[in-house]
C-alpha cells in the first residue's frame, strides 16, 4: 500500500480495514505515533490537517 508524509510528522497510509479501502492519518510526536483518523476519500484529508500540496511519497523503509 502507499504511504505519504507531510511536514510535522504526519503520515498518510492507504490501507484496507474491514474490506474497505481507507486512508489512515497518523501523527508522530516525540517518538510516539498518534492516530488522527481514517478517511474514505482524499478530500477528507483536509479535516485532519493534511495539505495535499505538502504530501511526499514515502519509501518502504521511511517508517523505520
Amino acid at each position: 500500500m502507499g504511504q505519504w508524509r507531510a511536514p510535522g510528522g504526519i503520515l498518510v497510509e492507504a490501507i484496507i480495514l474491514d474490506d474497505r479501502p481507507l486512508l489512515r492519518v497518523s501523527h508522530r510526536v516525540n517518538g510516539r505515533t498518534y492516530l488522527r483518523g481514517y478517511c474514505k476519500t482524499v478530500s477528507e484529508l483536509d479535516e485532519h490537517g493534511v495539505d495535499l500540496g505538502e504530501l511526499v511519497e514515502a519509501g518502504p523503509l521511511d517508517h523505520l
Side-chain angles (χ1 to χ4, degrees), residues 9 27-34:
H27 188 193
R28 189 158 181 90
V29 178
N30 296 326
R32 300 185 98 166
T33 302
Y34 299 92

Side-chain angles (χ1 to χ4, degrees), residues 22-43:
L22 294 172
L23 296 169
R24 176 174 52 205
V25 182
S26 58
H27 188 193
R28 189 158 181 90
V29 178
N30 296 326
R32 300 185 98 166
T33 302
Y34 299 92
L35 177 65
R36 290 186 100 159
Y38 296 99
C39 302
K40 294 178 188 174
T41 66
V42 173
S43 61

Side-chain angles (χ1 to χ4, degrees), residues 8-64:
I10 300 291
L11 176 65
V12 177
E13 300 171 278
I15 65 165
I16 302 294
L17 184 64
D18 294 331
D19 293 326
R20 296 179 316 188
L22 294 172
L23 296 169
R24 176 174 52 205
V25 182
S26 58
H27 188 193
R28 189 158 181 90
V29 178
N30 296 326
R32 300 185 98 166
T33 302
Y34 299 92
L35 177 65
R36 290 186 100 159
Y38 296 99
C39 302
K40 294 178 188 174
T41 66
V42 173
S43 61
E44 293 176 13
L45 288 172
D46 184 52
E47 297 171 19
H48 297 284
V50 177
D51 181 350
L52 291 178
E54 295 181 331
L55 286 178
V56 176
E57 190 168 10
L61 299 177
D62 286 349
H63 68 281
L64 299 177

